[in-house]
């Protein structure tokens, strides 16, 4: 190794993202943030003062739904036609465009890789703080069923965040590496990975330290988000029926419902029933939800994962009974209905000894360690999920590399000219399984130019399509008669050009300082609000436990904090928050005493849950 | 074109021990996979990428006994093989004649509503054709020793190759009819189109 710097593994998820590394003892570990949190919500809020990420951004969701971006992974490497439906379900504005989709925030537009770059940068900083060294290289995971454009977009996001992405790894395969390190199971395993927004199934043969993917399939627009959405629709109808109010157009209310639905769904994985309480203007919505309510809503979505499973088995040439083990990955596999359906399909109980939220990041760290030369007995042989082809006469696709081909791989194709003296040839590269070009994913148009003028049909241009270990296409060409390399101009259909990425990398440096300040300010404000809320509630419950002069001191401190709380002077907000905390110490003690005596009614469990 | 047998140090024979081939594939992968050349210079990395791609292509071409026959034909004829192109040989006329009846049944099913009676008949036909499809594969695999002997003795190979091509053509034709039947019965859930690539 010429490079001694550490490589981290990153799971850039739809809902949550994580960063992990392999420690000195060879154990992969998730790197927590300064507060000890292991999952960073993949949420980015654009505030007037800068950009904030993660938990801080999540708190902006209900208040500023138009400029708080979540689930951006669903938009990575996508065109407007792909996301038209999706765009109706998110509170931020997706701008229609013929190329890469953009998100409008006030008067500016950002691309999904730029949004993701903020998440990646937060993870990078998290790792740097924890490890005490600069982090410049990473392995990032993507759904196995991601196409070339989605992979490239992820790589671009890394670059914008100041990370050299050494490898793009498929999530289910990464998970298998983490499992492999634990206990080297031999035989054929299936990894069922249902995350927040994507679904993958991968069938692998594990033998002598080699992880050979036999087949993969999936759906890059199916996940826990869709479960939440189904539940929100149901709740909206319920609110309409019981309170006569239609909240559909009220984005802030819908976000409240979405957060409530997400939390309720999670609780229903371990409990049979749960209560939801959401205060809206004019009324408080209370509703008990049972598992029996939820399951019919999500059953069609869960069933939609079974077709890809059968196709992957067919492509691997295996029957379900030949699978030795089924591993569950992704937070959505905690849902009991998902487990039942998987068990029915494979005829065996699936297992998930490793935390399904963390296993992908741990696997990414293992792959990073392999690249760093720290692990030499493990080898991952992955496949390309979709067939790659070029458009031929009549709009038909001619397949060059079939799906589930082990990567890296290459194919050569030969072109010639059809007109005398023609010096350029163009070709259209696609990915997908359909016969007609128009039904497949357009990856790029290539302009081969600089061909020496010759009679029609004379030039023989060899084009090499190489899919590298990241599952990303590289194209080279040369004219065989002259041996001259023909130059290729790539026009990615739904991707960023090299110049655009370079510009974004520069922009990110300009904004970096502002973003740090914005985060600190919002965190300070959020802390102030939390304290204010607690004090307000405590006073309402236990005002009689303190002396009038103590009460006056508290009221003064509250007023002082309120006066600065919405401003931008972070130090003032922090100082007055500390002051308020100090003057309420006596109140807190008095309440604690009273609670011990049973004088203060215990708060309802759902209220506590809603505060989290 | 590249001789994939050579990649594994094998003679151009059809009988290959799958376990040994897999072992050798894993060994070559460990040597060439880009994962193990990350720290090397750009040129060495590019070489590893190409070598690794070659090993993967070679394993894919040889791992399956039927795919191996298709590759062998392409190699012997010296043409570039695109994975899904089957060797072009004429479908024997007696098979085409035999299929007339099936084709008629298919036309009938397409023209009118699919009754349970018609569906049952189509299923029966499909079953018969699937058995034949498998029989052709078995026959191809069974002729491997004959080919290997010809390699050893330096004997006549053209006629054998022609026979392989014939059987592959029959299989390709049967596959199409079986898929058409599946679609006509209405049991296709997108898997036919999926398989065709």
């Amino acid at each position: 190794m010429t490079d001694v710097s550490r490589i981290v593994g990153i799971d850039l998820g739809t809902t949550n993202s994580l960063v992990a590394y392999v420690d000195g003892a060879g154990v992969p570990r998730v790197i927590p943030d300064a507060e000890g949190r292991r999952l960073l919500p993949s949420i980015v809020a654009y505030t007037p003062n800068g950009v904030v990420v993660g938990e801080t951004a999540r708190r902006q969701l209900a208040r500023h739904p138009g400029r708080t971006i979540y689930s951006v992974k669903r938009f990575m490497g996508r065109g407007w036609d792909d996301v038209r439906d999706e765009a109706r379900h998110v509170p931020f504005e997706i701008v229609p465009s013929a190329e890469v989709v953009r998100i409008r925030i006030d008067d500016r537009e950002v691309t999904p890789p730029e949004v993701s770059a903020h998440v990646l940068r937060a993870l990078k900083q998290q790792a740097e703080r924890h490890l005490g060294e600069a982090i410049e290289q990473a392995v990032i995971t993507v759904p196995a069923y991601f196409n070339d454009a989605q992979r490239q977009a992820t790589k671009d996001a890394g670059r914008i965040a100041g990370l050299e992405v050494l490898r793009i790894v498929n999530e289910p395969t990464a998970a298998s590496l983490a499992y492999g390190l634990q206990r080297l199971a031999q035989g054929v395993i299936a990894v069922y990975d249902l995350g927040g927004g994507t679904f993958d199934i991968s069938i692998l043969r594990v033998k002598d330290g080699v992880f050979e993917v036999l087949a993969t399939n999936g759906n890059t627009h199916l996940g826990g988000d869709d479960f939440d959405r189904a539940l929100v629709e149901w709740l909206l109808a319920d609110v309409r029926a019981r309170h006569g109010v239609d909240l559909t157009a009220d984005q802030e209310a819908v976000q409240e419902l979405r957060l409530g639905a997400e939390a309720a769904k999670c609780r229903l994985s371990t409990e049979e029933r749960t209560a939801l309480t959401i205060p809206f203007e004019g009324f408080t919505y209370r509703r008990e939800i049972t598992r029996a309510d939820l399951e019919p809503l999500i059953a069609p979505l869960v069933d939609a994962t079974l077709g890809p499973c059968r196709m992957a088995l067919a492509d691997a040439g295996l029957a379900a009974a030949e699978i030795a083990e089924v591993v569950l990955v992704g937070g959505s596999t905690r849902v009991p209905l998902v487990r039942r359906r998987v068990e029915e399909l494979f005829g065996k109980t699936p297992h998930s000894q490793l935390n399904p939220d963390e296993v992908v990041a741990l696997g990414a760290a293992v792959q990073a360690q392999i690249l760093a030369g720290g692990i030499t007995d493990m080898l991952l042989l992955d496949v390309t999920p979709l067939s790659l082809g070029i458009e031929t006469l009549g709009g038909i696709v001619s397949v060059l590399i079939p799906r589930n081909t082990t990567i890296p791989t290459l194919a050569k194709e030969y072109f010639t000219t059809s007109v005398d003296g023609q010096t350029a040839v163009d070709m259209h590269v696609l990915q997908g399984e359909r016969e007609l070009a128009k039904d497949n994913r357009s990856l790029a148009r290539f302009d081969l130019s600089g061909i020496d003028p010759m009679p029609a049909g004379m030039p023989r241009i060899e084009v090499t399509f190489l899919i590298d270990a990241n599952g990303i296409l590289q194209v080279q060409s040369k004219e065989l008669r002259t041996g001259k390399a023909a130059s290729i101009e790539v026009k990615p259909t739904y991707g960023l050009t090299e110049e655009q990425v370079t510009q974004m990398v520069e922009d990110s440096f300009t904004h970096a300082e502002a973003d740090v300040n914005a985060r600190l300010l919002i965190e300070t404000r959020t802390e102030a609000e939390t304290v204010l809320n607690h004090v307000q509630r405590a006073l309402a419950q236990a005002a009689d436990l303190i002396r009038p002069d103590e009460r006056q001191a508290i009221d003064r401190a509250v007023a002082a904090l309120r006066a600065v709380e919405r401003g931008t002077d972070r130090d003032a907000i922090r100082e007055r928050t500390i002051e308020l905390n100090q003057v309420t110490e006596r109140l807190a003690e008095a309440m604690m005493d009273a609670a011990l005596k049973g004088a203060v009614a215990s708060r309802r469990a759902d209220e506590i849950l809603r505060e989290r | 074109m590249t001789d994939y047998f050579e990649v594994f140090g094998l003679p151009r024979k059809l009988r290959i021990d799958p376990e040994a081939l897999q072992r050798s594939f894993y060994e070559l992968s460990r040597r060439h996979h880009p994962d193990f050349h990350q720290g090397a210079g750009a040129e060495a990395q590019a070489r590893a990428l190409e070598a690794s791609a070659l090993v993967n292509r070679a394993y894919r071409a040889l791992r399956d006994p039927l795919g191996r026959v298709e590759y062998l034909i392409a190699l012997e004829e010296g043409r570039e093989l695109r994975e899904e192109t089957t060797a072009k040989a004429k479908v024997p006329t007696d098979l085409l004649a035999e299929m007339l009846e099936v084709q008629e049944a298919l036309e009938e099913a397409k023209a009118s509503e699919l009754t349970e009676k018609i569906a049952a008949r189509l299923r029966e036909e499909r079953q018969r054709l699937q058995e034949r499809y498998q029989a052709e594969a078995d026959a191809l695999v069974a002729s491997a020793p004959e080919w290997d002997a010809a390699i050893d003795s330096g004997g006549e190979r053209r006629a054998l190759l022609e026979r392989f091509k014939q059987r592959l053509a029959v299989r390709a034709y049967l596959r199409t009819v079986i898929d058409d039947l599946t679609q006509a019965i209405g049991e296709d859930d997108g898997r036919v189109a999926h398989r065709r690539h």
Side-chain angles (χ1 to χ4, degrees):
Chain A
M1 288 295 294
T2 50
D3 203 341
V4 290
S5 81
R6 196 192 294 275
I7 311 169
V8 293
I10 291 177
D11 173 4
L12 182 61
T14 308
T15 320
N16 292 302
S17 297
L18 299 88
V19 56
Y21 78 113
V22 172
D23 71 10
V27 180
R29 295 189 186 283
V30 171
I31 300 175
D33 70 3
E35 278 80 48
R37 291 178 295 225
R38 299 158 77 83
L39 301 180
L40 177 77
S42 307
I43 305 175
V44 176
Y46 288 80
T47 78
N49 303 303
V51 176
V52 293
V53 180
E55 202 53 54
T56 322
R58 185 212 287 282
R59 299 213 182 92
Q60 307 287 310
L61 257 183
R63 247 177 294 166
H64 304 292
R67 38 161 101 175
T68 307
I69 317 302
Y70 63 91
S71 295
V72 74
K73 189 172 178 177
R74 290 187 161 221
F75 300 97
M76 293 283 272
R78 292 276 170 173
W80 170 244
D81 278 340
D82 309 315
V83 300
R84 205 183 282 268
D85 280 344
E86 202 83 46
R88 283 190 287 119
H89 293 286
V90 293
F92 41 88
E93 187 189 347
I94 308 291
V95 188
S97 138
E99 34 179 60
V100 60
V101 295
R102 287 162 193 278
I103 299 159
R104 185 174 350 255
I105 290 134
D106 299 331
D107 56 348
R108 62 191 273 225
E109 288 178 4
V110 294
T111 60
E114 290 172 275
V115 178
S116 291
H118 285 293
V119 176
L120 290 173
R121 200 174 299 117
L123 292 172
K124 177 177 186 278
Q125 286 162 357
Q126 194 166 311
E128 287 173 340
R129 183 165 43 208
H130 186 87
L131 300 169
E133 60 191 90
I135 300 294
E136 271 144 16
Q137 296 179 315
V139 167
I140 303 181
T141 62
V142 296
Y145 217 54
F146 252 21
N147 65 33
D148 182 274
Q150 292 168 304
R151 287 166 194 270
Q152 190 60 56
T154 305
K155 230 180 149 184
D156 291 342
R159 259 184 72 195
I160 298 167
L163 285 168
E164 185 189 354
V165 182
L166 293 183
R167 179 60 51 83
I168 296 287
V169 189
N170 294 329
E171 286 156 12
T173 356
S176 76
L177 285 181
Y179 268 99
L181 204 64
Q182 293 275 312
R183 15 170 240 113
L184 273 170
Q186 303 273 317
V188 181
I189 63 168
V191 182
Y192 179 102
D193 180 356
L194 188 60
T198 57
F199 168 67
D200 282 327
I201 176 79
S202 286
I203 315 278
L204 298 97
R205 178 182 292 124
V206 183
K207 196 176 175 185
D208 308 328
V210 177
F211 293 67
E212 183 192 358
V213 179
L214 302 176
T216 197
N217 209 300
N219 183 337
T220 56
H221 266 212
L222 177 63
D225 274 6
D226 300 288
F227 294 3
D228 300 346
R229 194 174 290 163
L231 188 51
V232 168
E233 296 290 331
W234 185 78
L235 291 171
L236 281 168
D238 188 55
V239 171
R240 218 162 25 235
R242 297 204 304 162
H243 296 277
V245 186
D246 189 353
L247 296 173
T248 315
D250 181 346
Q251 282 301 348
E252 291 172 25
V254 171
Q255 288 312 310
E256 288 282 4
L257 277 178
R258 204 174 64 80
L259 292 172
E262 189 188 350
K265 172 195 73 179
C266 292
R267 291 198 296 274
L268 285 175
S269 288
T270 50
E271 293 156 33
E272 280 292 337
R273 55 189 65 237
T274 186
L276 191 67
T277 306
I278 304 178
F280 288 116
E281 259 180 57
F283 68 98
T284 296
Y285 176 59
R286 288 198 175 81
R287 167 83 212 195
E288 187 188 61
I289 306 170
T290 66
R291 209 179 274 178
D293 291 327
L294 179 69
E295 292 194 342
L297 300 174
I298 62 170
L301 298 165
V302 178
D303 289 346
T305 65
L306 303 180
C309 290
R310 293 195 192 98
M311 286 188 189
L313 281 168
D315 278 356
L318 295 166
E322 291 174 86
I323 303 296
E325 259 181 79
V326 182
V327 176
L328 296 179
V329 178
S332 302
T333 59
R334 289 202 174 89
V335 174
L337 181 67
V338 172
R339 290 176 175 252
R340 283 210 306 279
R341 287 285 190 271
V342 174
E343 181 159 356
E344 281 162 19
L345 179 69
F346 289 98
K348 53 184 60 73
T349 312
H351 70 77
S352 50
Q353 278 106 326
L354 297 181
N355 183 336
D357 288 323
E358 296 186 353
V359 62
V360 168
L362 296 176
V366 173
Q367 178 65 40
Q369 188 72 352
I370 293 173
L371 295 183
I375 299 174
T376 52
D377 57 348
M378 283 169 94
L379 171 62
L380 175 57
L381 296 171
D382 219 318
V383 299
T384 179
L386 299 157
S387 301
L388 182 100
I390 49 172
E391 182 173 349
T392 58
L393 228 56
I396 307 285
V397 176
S398 168
V399 173
L400 298 174
I401 298 172
R403 66 169 182 277
N404 291 322
T405 296
T406 308
I407 52 172
T409 191
L410 62 80
K412 289 184 197 298
E413 183 70 8
Y414 299 88
F415 294 86
T416 189
T417 51
S418 54
V419 179
D420 286 348
Q422 189 179 339
T423 55
V425 173
D426 66 336
M427 53 181 180
H428 187 196
V429 181
L430 305 113
Q431 237 178 352
E433 310 309 322
R434 305 283 298 273
E435 304 273 341
L436 295 180
K438 67 177 175 59
D439 296 326
N440 288 292
R441 155 84 3 186
S442 168
L443 287 189
R445 287 177 189 275
F446 294 86
D447 272 342
L448 284 171
S449 58
I451 304 167
D452 287 345
M454 279 182 254
M458 276 293 282
R460 200 166 142 74
I461 307 148
E462 180 190 80
V463 180
T464 305
F465 297 84
L466 190 145
I467 299 183
D468 66 15
N470 302 309
I472 294 177
L473 176 67
Q474 300 176 8
V475 178
Q476 293 151 5
S477 86
K478 69 175 175 223
E479 204 286 303
L480 293 179
R481 286 179 205 283
T482 58
K484 212 171 99 181
S487 82
I488 302 188
E489 195 199 335
V490 187
K491 290 183 213 133
T493 313
Y494 300 116
L496 300 168
T497 61
E498 180 58 29
E499 295 78 50
Q500 285 174 313
V501 177
T502 313
Q503 184 60 46
M504 288 169 186
V505 172
E506 280 173 24
D507 289 351
S508 73
F509 286 120
T510 327
H511 293 299
E513 200 184 339
D515 293 347
V516 168
N517 290 331
R519 189 188 77 229
L520 294 175
L521 177 61
I522 288 181
E523 280 172 358
T524 313
R525 269 188 201 160
T526 308
E527 170 66 16
E529 275 165 33
T530 309
V531 172
L532 281 169
N533 280 337
H534 280 175
V535 171
Q536 223 60 55
R537 207 171 303 165
L539 286 175
Q541 278 180 3
D544 51 332
L545 296 178
I546 50 169
R547 297 190 309 267
D549 61 312
E550 286 170 340
R551 172 64 192 248
Q552 276 169 10
I554 292 174
D555 286 345
R556 268 199 305 276
V558 166
L561 180 54
R562 284 215 192 283
V564 295
E565 186 220 333
R566 301 313 302 171
T568 54
D569 186 348
R570 195 161 62 85
D571 290 338
I573 303 171
R574 200 175 41 206
E575 276 164 26
R576 292 184 187 185
T577 304
I578 293 169
E579 280 164 23
L580 178 59
N581 258 329
Q582 282 166 349
V583 297
T584 52
E585 259 172 30
R586 256 274 305 146
L587 173 63
E589 279 168 22
M591 285 181 72
M592 188 62 78
D593 288 345
L596 288 174
K597 290 174 201 147
V600 176
S602 60
R603 285 192 295 161
R604 289 187 30 205
D606 57 350
E607 282 175 359
I608 296 170
L609 277 166
R610 271 195 34 84
E611 276 177 18
R612 284 174 38 191
Chain B
M1 72 185 291
T2 323
D3 186 337
Y4 292 151
F5 290 94
E6 268 177 18
V7 172
F8 293 101
L10 292 168
R12 205 177 278 195
K13 288 184 182 176
L14 284 175
R15 275 179 305 176
I16 297 176
D17 173 11
E19 296 256 332
L21 183 68
Q22 191 191 58
R23 257 199 312 280
S24 158
F25 169 55
Y26 287 173
E27 261 171 46
L28 288 171
S29 295
R30 282 185 188 282
R31 196 177 312 157
H32 298 299
H33 196 279
D35 276 8
F36 302 127
H37 300 270
Q38 196 66 43
E43 212 173 295
Q45 282 197 35
R47 267 203 309 277
L49 190 59
E50 292 237 356
S52 178
L54 174 65
V55 170
N56 287 335
R57 301 286 293 175
Y59 183 59
R60 188 181 176 88
L62 299 186
R63 66 179 176 189
D64 163 56
L66 287 179
R68 201 180 298 153
V69 177
E70 288 196 38
Y71 168 70
L72 178 77
I73 294 168
L75 182 64
E76 289 281 315
E77 294 185 343
R79 62 185 167 80
E80 297 291 333
L81 177 83
R82 181 93 61 74
E83 297 243 6
E84 92 279 20
T85 43
T86 33
K88 293 278 180 292
K90 270 209 175 125
V91 178
T93 38
D94 56 334
L95 179 67
L96 290 175
E98 201 186 316
M99 285 303 132
L100 273 178
E101 215 177 309
V102 181
Q103 298 288 8
E104 268 168 32
L106 261 172
E107 289 305 316
E108 202 182 315
K110 274 181 209 157
S112 60
E113 205 164 309
L114 184 74
T115 62
E116 195 34 56
K117 196 173 153 216
I118 298 176
R121 179 165 165 226
L122 295 183
R123 264 192 216 103
E124 205 176 292
E125 286 292 350
R126 187 177 56 173
Q127 179 63 29
R128 200 169 60 81
L129 296 183
Q130 275 167 337
E131 279 161 18
R132 175 116 185 234
Y133 182 71
Q134 185 55 46
E136 292 291 336
D138 295 343
L140 269 170
V141 175
S143 13
E146 223 178 312
W147 171 268
D148 293 358
I151 291 282
D152 283 335
S153 67
E156 166 59 27
R157 316 202 293 223
R158 287 289 128 207
L160 265 173
L161 271 187
E162 280 312 310
R163 231 167 67 206
F164 292 163
K165 281 169 76 172
Q166 191 79 56
R167 290 202 187 281
L168 286 171
V170 168
R171 265 176 66 85
Y173 178 70
L174 288 171
R175 179 79 263 163
T176 318
V177 182
I178 290 168
D179 286 348
D180 287 348
L181 283 168
T182 303
Q183 269 171 339
I185 304 167
E187 285 174 1
D188 176 36
D189 49 3
R191 260 182 279 179
V192 167
H194 193 71
R195 182 172 50 234
R196 275 185 179 164
H197 270 183

